[in-house]
Amino acid sequence: MASTETRPSAAENTTAVGATADPGPLGLAGFAATTMVLSFVNAGIIDGSAVNAVLALALFYGGLGQIIAGLLEYRRGNTFGVTAFCTYGGFWLAFAFYVWFFKGLNNAGSATGMFLLMFGIVTAFLTLSTLRINGALLVVFVLLTLTYVVLAIGAFAGSQGLNKVGGVIGIITAIAAFYTSAAVVTNATWKRQVLPIFPF
């Protein structure tokens, strides 16, 4: 059955005065882009020198961008949003700092493993909250938990094979996050569901 909705005009498509835009797509896109590049490096698909691009993304898009998204979620009263986006914004900023200053030190494998494991724990309990939000976010957080855990185990064991597996899971995670970001911003722009996010 054809939709009776008409395409919104430019005036209708702008945010009303006093309305609060959803910062979620910004945070998800920043997370997805940074995760995608790093995961291509981890999976061995592109050369490790590309980590320089990861660090730049980690500082500004994955880091600062997500911190901003988290603070905007705070203004909206979204406890999950502020916790998730500020956590992963902090992760990317800390990751850039860690790689620049500490990764070359002794016991780097154990240090990297603990670094990743701590964020894996936070991601695991945030995953429980996504069960009340939507299926798209649930997929992102389940995959992200697996990514952290596999990469942490790989770091502890010094296993390049596990690091590559973690990289592949990370790529899938980034794709899921890109989709969720695209779905939320597209649906908000068109003011109807164009891409499903599978609400519970």
Side-chain angles (χ1 to χ4, degrees):
M1 180 182 293
S3 173
T4 58
E5 288 189 33
T6 58
R7 184 173 180 175
S9 66
E12 292 172 327
N13 205 30
T14 57
T15 303
V17 176
T20 304
D22 186 353
L26 166 64
L28 283 164
F31 166 79
T34 315
T35 301
M36 178 71 81
V37 179
L38 179 60
S39 294
F40 266 85
V41 174
N42 286 337
I45 297 172
I46 59 177
D47 187 79
S49 62
V51 76
N52 293 325
V54 179
L55 296 179
L57 283 167
L59 286 173
F60 297 102
Y61 201 23
L64 182 60
Q66 285 195 92
I67 295 290
I68 291 171
L71 294 176
L72 293 174
E73 291 284 17
Y74 173 81
R75 290 177 57 86
R76 287 162 54 94
N78 184 348
T79 302
F80 175 84
V82 67
T83 304
F85 288 132
C86 287
T87 292
Y88 300 116
F91 165 79
W92 286 118
L93 291 172
F95 173 81
F97 189 81
Y98 172 71
V99 170
W100 272 329
F101 295 105
F102 297 113
K103 197 172 181 183
L105 300 179
N106 293 332
N107 299 318
S110 297
T112 302
M114 286 300 298
F115 182 85
L116 295 169
L117 182 60
M118 292 306 99
F119 283 97
I121 291 171
V122 175
T123 303
F125 74 68
L126 286 173
T127 301
L128 297 176
S129 296
T130 64
L131 292 167
R132 291 277 300 188
I133 303 174
N134 61 62
L137 266 182
L138 175 61
V139 170
V140 171
F141 275 78
V142 168
L143 289 170
L144 182 57
T145 302
L146 289 173
T147 301
Y148 276 126
V149 170
V150 171
L151 289 174
I153 294 171
F156 281 126
S159 170
Q160 285 299 314
L162 282 175
N163 196 56
K164 288 184 177 181
V165 171
V168 171
I169 301 172
I171 291 170
I172 300 170
T173 303
I175 291 170
F178 270 131
Y179 172 82
T180 307
S181 175
V184 175
V185 75
T186 301
N187 294 347
T189 302
W190 286 85
K191 295 180 172 56
R192 62 184 176 85
Q193 181 172 283
V194 178
L195 297 173
I197 56 171
F198 313 105
F200 295 123

